[in-house]
Amino acid sequence: IGSRATSLGGFSTTLSDLWSTNNNQAGLGFVNELSAGMYYENRFMLKETSYKAGAFVLPLKTGTFGFSVTSFGYSAYSENKAGLSYGIKLAEKIAVGVQLNYLNNRLTGDYGQSNTFTAAIGVISPLTKELTVGVHVYNPNRTKLADYNNERVPTIMKLGLDYKFSEKVFLAVEAEKDINFSPVVKVGVEYHAIEMLYLR
C-alpha cells in the first residue's frame, strides 16, 4: 500500500513510513511523527477492482502504534481488513514490528461471508549507511479461511534489500514467496531529483 511502494514495483520491506502499518510493521520503529493518510487505486480502470486503504500512526516513547484498514472489491465480492500494529527500535541498527489483523471476506448468494484473524511480523536492519535489509512474514500461523477444501489465508514471506548509491539515488530489490506459488522478484529505483520531486 502507498504510492511510494507501488511506484517501486511493489517493494516495501525496508521502507519506513505511514504505510509500514500494513507493509512491514518494523518500519514503524523508525517513524517519529504523528501521521495519517488515505490511499485509492483504481485497478484496470474498473471500480469493481478498486483498492482503498487508510492508515494512522502514533509514536510514543516506548515505540509506535499503527492502525490500518483496507478494502478491495464491490457489493458482489469484497475483501476487508483492519489491522493494529506496533513497531519498536530495539537498537540503532534494528527494529521489529508485529500486527494483528481482522479479515472479512464477502461473496453474495449462498456463499455468505467469513471472518478470521491473522498476524504479521517484520524486521528491518540498516547494516551499513548504504545497505538496509528487511524481512516480513504475513500469516505465519496459516490461519484457516474456510473448512471447505481446507482453504487458508495466504502465507507470504518477503526478503528485501535497498542500496543507497547517494543521498539522491537508491536501488531496491525484493523477493516475495507465497508458499503456494513460485517466488516473485521486484526491482525499483528511486531518484530524488529536486526537493519536491521524486522519480521512481
Side-chain angles (χ1 to χ4, degrees):
I1 298 176
S3 59
R4 189 182 189 197
T6 301
S7 59
L8 286 170
F11 174 88
S12 63
T13 46
T14 68
L15 302 183
S16 179
D17 56 24
L18 168 68
W19 302 110
S20 296
T21 54
N22 188 82
N23 298 334
N24 185 353
Q25 297 74 30
L28 294 175
F30 299 107
V31 174
N32 300 313
E33 295 181 352
L34 178 74
S35 56
M38 296 176 66
Y39 176 79
Y40 179 78
E41 182 180 339
N42 193 358
R43 298 181 176 184
F44 310 109
M45 303 301 287
L46 298 170
K47 66 178 182 179
E48 291 82 5
T49 58
S50 64
Y51 193 83
K52 302 166 280 290
F56 173 77
V57 166
L58 176 64
L60 300 172
K61 290 183 179 180
T62 56
T64 301
F65 285 93
F67 177 72
S68 65
V69 291
T70 64
S71 179
F72 170 80
Y74 66 118
S75 58
Y77 175 76
S78 65
E79 299 175 5
N80 303 289
K81 180 176 79 169
L84 181 63
S85 50
Y86 176 75
I88 186 170
K89 190 175 175 183
L90 296 180
E92 195 63 33
K93 296 282 188 178
I94 191 165
V96 297
V98 294
Q99 183 180 47
L100 178 64
N101 298 299
Y102 168 74
L103 304 182
N104 169 261
N105 291 350
R106 295 183 181 201
L107 187 60
T108 57
D110 296 332
Y111 295 98
Q113 64 178 326
S114 65
N115 301 287
T116 190
F117 289 91
T118 64
I121 186 168
V123 178
I124 295 178
S125 178
L127 301 178
T128 67
K129 186 178 178 181
E130 296 82 17
L131 183 65
T132 301
V133 63
V135 177
H136 187 257
V137 180
Y138 176 75
N139 190 34
N141 52 331
R142 300 279 291 136
T143 299
K144 185 180 285 189
L145 190 60
D147 290 329
Y148 176 75
N149 206 26
N150 196 30
E151 185 179 3
R152 296 183 180 272
V153 176
T155 295
I156 300 172
M157 300 171 285
K158 296 180 183 180
L159 172 64
L161 298 167
D162 78 54
Y163 186 83
K164 298 170 184 66
F165 292 96
S166 69
E167 292 293 323
K168 291 182 174 287
V169 181
F170 86 83
L171 171 70
V173 180
E174 178 179 286
E176 177 184 302
K177 177 73 170 85
D178 182 323
I179 63 170
N180 295 317
F181 298 98
S182 300
V184 174
V185 176
K186 309 169 187 178
V187 179
V189 176
E190 179 178 274
Y191 172 49
H192 190 182
I194 58 176
E195 179 64 26
M196 295 182 66
L197 177 65
Y198 289 84
L199 301 175
R200 300 184 179 110

